[in-house]
Amino acid sequence: MPTTDKQKTSSFLLFPWGLLSIILILALNLSLSDSWFRDNWSWITLVLIIPAAIFENFKVGYSTMKIMFRKVIYSLLSFLLVGMAFGAALAGWQLERFQNITNIDKVKLPWYVLLALVVMLLIQIAQLFSMLKAVKREFMQLDGDQ
């Protein structure tokens, strides 16, 4: 009688590396002074984007439903968070430019922060498509007609 071992999934695989780097990019942009962040943005994004891409890439080889489900949820949360940040920045720009309201607090997202967020979303999209490919491969193995 074959036995199956129920192994607990590693927390390293379940952790939302991409979502964490998006949150850190936005938090650092909003909390640090503009001059310091403007001078060091390339290093900050390099330290946040490259490891997140590598760690998210480790998840591709694991096609358990728990990892895939969490990956989809974290990707949706990433898109929601970036969309809200873009919307807040666009609303502040619109109020200042077209309605001539200048004494308001607004979210300022420089071009390099926008670029970093777009790169993170592209990584999320690539990971989602690779997960879908893994799911298709897994289902094709279970299909008796193939």
Side-chain angles (χ1 to χ4, degrees), residues 40-86:
N40 298 314
W41 70 269
S42 59
W43 292 105
I44 292 171
T45 54
L46 181 72
V47 166
L48 292 174
I49 290 176
I50 301 299
I54 292 169
F55 293 150
E56 289 290 335
N57 199 23
F58 288 148
K59 294 181 185 180
V60 174
Y62 298 92
S63 60
T64 64
M65 286 299 164
K66 186 175 185 179
I67 293 173
M68 288 185 211
F69 177 74
R70 287 195 179 185
K71 176 64 183 153
V72 169
I73 296 298
Y74 294 147
S75 294
L76 291 175
L77 286 174
S78 298
F79 279 98
L80 176 70
L81 191 62
V82 171
M84 289 171 46
F86 280 160

